[in-house]
């Protein structure tokens, strides 16, 4: 686009850089001329999509000429039943990404309000705040990646409408106990909401020790976000949900684009909740893989950050960028963390037992 045309782009948008996703398998196959590439970069489910869900998606393929029912009532009821909550407190979205954007637009006033989070944090919080003309304030984490509650609280002022927290956190895997989250939320001024993004909560052990849903009914200013992209293996279908006070849920449904959760995502989400055998298996593989990778990486001299998520952040004994590139050339994609501001760290998603072995063998060769 010419500079002349760019003047018609909103000033907030002109400095935007595209979201940095994990590299794709196709890109790496083409670049290195490889037949087999494994991806341990985007925290997806190593078992893929449940066969039961695949069958439901195929069965409903003929229905895609229809619009979905507005606000996905059956899916909302299924999620509410799964959590032991009321459907009125659930809003589904096109991934939790959509819900993050909707929350900012629902609650924060452009040019007046601010949104607060740690640095680093999931980049969509900042992108959507900026896109919506809302000031975005950040403070660092503690040195060990635990949450610096006092510093976070110091950023909050009467204009703060939302505080975003990821628990377990990405990219560190650190999880704060629910009691700490509850204390922080209870101390926020009236009109400020704490959004706890629980994209990885299914992998925390035990979940109740960490999840804000364990106290959600008792603290009125807490919003919880969850996704079907990780443990339920539906990242490509785009499905997430928010648990929030009924009044907010009601307004959120009014501003959400009516059909943002499509028919296949709606049906797949319901089937995924029912397929307990699949999620139990995925969980078993991920928890075992997490232990295996932690201990093997440690043996190789890596500094490990204890993780409650389906990935591990580690400091390799050598240049992180070079190790990342060496893995790529062997057909293994993991995640460098320079876009999070950590040039010396890497993040690997837990894979299948076979993928974990391949990754560790490659690390052994590279580090040696
Ligand atoms: C912390 C966090 N929140 C939200 C998301 C996005 O979830 P969804 O796929 O539901 O949009 C991710 C995805 O990687 C994430 O890491």
């Amino acid at each position: 686009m010419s500079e002349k045309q760019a003047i018609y782009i909103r000033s907030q948008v002109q400095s935007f850089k595209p979201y940095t996703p994990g590299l794709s398998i196709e890109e790496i196959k083409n670049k290195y001329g490889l037949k087999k590439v494994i991806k341990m970069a985007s925290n997806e489910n190593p078992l893929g999509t449940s066969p039961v869900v695949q069958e439901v998606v195929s069965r409903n393929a003929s229905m895609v000429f229809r619009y979905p029912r507005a606000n996905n009532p059956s899916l909302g009821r299924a999620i509410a039943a799964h959590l032991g909550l009321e459907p009125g407190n659930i809003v589904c979205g096109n991934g939790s990404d959509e819900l993050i954007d909707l929350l900012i637009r629902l609650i924060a006033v452009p040019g007046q309000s601010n949104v607060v989070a740690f640095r680093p944090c999931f980049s969509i919080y900042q992108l959507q705040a900026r896109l919506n003309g809302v000031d975005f304030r950040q403070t660092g984490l503690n040195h060990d990646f635990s949450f610096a509650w006092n510093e976070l609280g110091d950023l909050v002022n009467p204009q703060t409408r939302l505080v975003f927290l990821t628990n377990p956190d990405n990219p560190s895997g650190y999880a704060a106990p629910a009691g700490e989250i509850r204390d922080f939320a209870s101390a926020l001024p009236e009109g400020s909401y704490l959004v706890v993004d629980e994209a990885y909560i299914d992998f925390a052990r035990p979940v109740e020790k960490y999840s804000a849903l364990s106290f959600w009914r008792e603290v009125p200013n807490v919003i919880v976000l969850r996704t079907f992209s990780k443990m339920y293996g539906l990242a490509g279908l785009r499905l997430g949900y928010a648990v929030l006070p009924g009044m907010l849920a009601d307004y959120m449904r009014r501003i959400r684009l009516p059909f943002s959760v499509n028919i296949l995502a709606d049906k797949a989400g319901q089937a995924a909740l029912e397929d307990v055998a699949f999620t139990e298996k995925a969980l078993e593989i991920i928890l075992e893989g997490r232990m295996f990778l932690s201990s093997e990486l440690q043996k190789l001299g890596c500094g490990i950050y204890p993780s409650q998520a389906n990935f591990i952040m580690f400091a390799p004994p050598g240049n992180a960028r070079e190790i990342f590139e060496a893995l790529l050339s062997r057909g293994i994609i993991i995640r460098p963390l320079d876009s999070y501001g950590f040039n010396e760290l890497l993040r690997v998603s837990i894979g299948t037992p076979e993928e974990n072995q391949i990754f560790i063998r490659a690390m052994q060769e590279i580090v040696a």
Side-chain angles (χ1 to χ4, degrees):
M1 184 188 295
S2 72
E3 266 176 43
K4 192 153 177 280
Q5 282 170 314
I7 59 170
Y8 298 113
I9 299 294
R10 279 169 58 207
S11 58
Q12 288 95 334
V13 176
Q14 289 192 15
S15 60
F16 266 51
K17 298 203 172 54
Y19 175 76
T20 319
L23 293 166
S24 77
I25 290 180
E26 278 317 305
E27 276 172 89
I28 299 308
K29 273 189 181 164
N30 293 341
K31 184 167 173 195
Y32 294 95
L34 296 165
K35 285 213 172 63
K36 181 172 167 155
V37 168
I38 59 175
K39 185 175 174 209
M40 300 168 81
S42 299
N43 309 332
E44 293 146 341
N45 192 318
L47 293 187
T49 310
S50 134
V52 174
V53 173
Q54 290 185 41
E55 155 46 33
V56 167
V57 170
S58 316
R59 212 173 339 118
N60 284 281
S62 63
M63 293 307 293
V64 297
F65 75 104
R66 293 246 182 251
Y67 284 101
R69 277 189 65 194
N71 290 317
N72 315 93
S74 322
L75 177 61
R77 278 195 299 275
I79 293 168
H82 175 72
L83 300 174
L85 296 171
E86 297 304 316
N89 296 115
I90 309 292
V91 177
C92 303
N94 188 270
S96 24
D97 288 350
E98 182 189 26
L99 298 161
I100 293 165
D101 176 59
L102 285 179
L103 278 172
I104 295 171
R105 287 200 274 164
L106 184 66
I107 300 176
V109 183
Q112 283 181 32
S113 309
N114 65 63
V115 168
V116 166
F118 283 120
R119 181 184 301 107
C121 66
F122 184 50
S123 59
I124 301 295
Y125 310 151
Q126 177 167 22
L127 278 173
Q128 299 318 117
R130 282 173 52 206
L131 181 60
N132 291 310
V134 171
D135 186 26
F136 189 71
R137 315 174 104 207
Q138 284 178 290
T139 187
L141 295 159
N142 292 326
H143 202 61
D144 60 357
F145 287 81
S146 62
F147 296 161
W149 294 114
N150 291 340
E151 287 78 357
L152 192 68
D154 288 346
L155 292 183
V156 173
N157 68 11
Q159 282 72 48
T160 303
R161 307 308 311 277
L162 294 165
V163 179
F164 278 96
L165 201 69
T166 310
N167 202 48
D169 204 5
N170 180 12
S172 73
Y174 170 81
E180 287 185 18
I181 300 172
R182 182 190 178 129
D183 290 347
F184 182 84
S186 307
L188 284 174
E190 201 185 331
S192 298
Y193 287 88
L194 177 66
V195 184
V196 190
D197 181 344
E198 295 193 340
Y200 301 101
I201 198 71
D202 299 300
F203 311 110
R205 280 292 160 279
V207 172
E208 324 74 71
K209 177 175 169 196
Y210 298 103
S211 176
L213 288 187
S214 62
F215 62 79
W216 183 78
R217 285 179 194 282
E218 292 136 47
V219 185
N221 62 342
V222 174
I223 297 164
V224 176
L225 298 180
R226 292 209 176 164
T227 178
F228 282 79
S229 297
K230 312 295 173 184
M231 191 170 76
Y232 294 99
L234 298 183
L237 267 187
R238 314 301 304 126
L239 182 60
Y241 61 89
V243 177
L244 69 180
M247 177 274 293
L248 289 185
D250 181 28
Y251 279 105
M252 199 184 229
R253 287 191 203 100
R254 300 185 202 188
I255 65 166
R256 197 192 79 153
L257 289 174
F259 309 115
S260 67
V261 174
N262 67 67
I263 281 195
L264 296 181
D266 181 302
K267 300 282 186 211
Q270 294 179 66
L273 286 176
E274 280 171 22
D275 191 1
V276 179
F278 176 81
T279 44
E280 278 178 355
K281 183 77 196 149
L283 203 52
E284 189 187 313
I285 295 243
I286 286 163
L287 297 183
E288 272 173 19
R290 191 163 76 190
M291 277 196 298
F292 171 77
L293 288 181
S294 300
S295 86
E296 292 300 314
L297 285 171
Q298 240 158 341
K299 284 186 207 158
L300 288 172
C302 299
I304 301 293
Y305 291 82
S307 172
Q308 294 286 349
N310 63 341
F311 51 80
I312 296 174
M313 184 171 84
F314 63 98
N319 182 293
R321 179 49 67 172
E322 282 170 21
I323 291 175
F324 166 71
E325 302 277 352
L327 286 166
L328 273 190
S329 67
R330 288 166 169 79
I332 302 165
I333 313 175
I334 66 164
R335 187 83 140 105
L337 296 179
D338 19 17
S339 66
Y340 285 86
F342 306 120
N343 295 336
E344 74 289 9
L345 298 175
L346 296 170
R347 189 191 72 193
V348 61
S349 307
I350 316 296
T352 60
E354 190 204 351
E355 289 169 337
N356 297 338
Q357 293 279 2
I358 294 172
F359 164 69
I360 290 296
R361 272 204 297 276
M363 281 295 287
Q364 283 161 347
E365 279 172 33
I366 295 165
V367 170

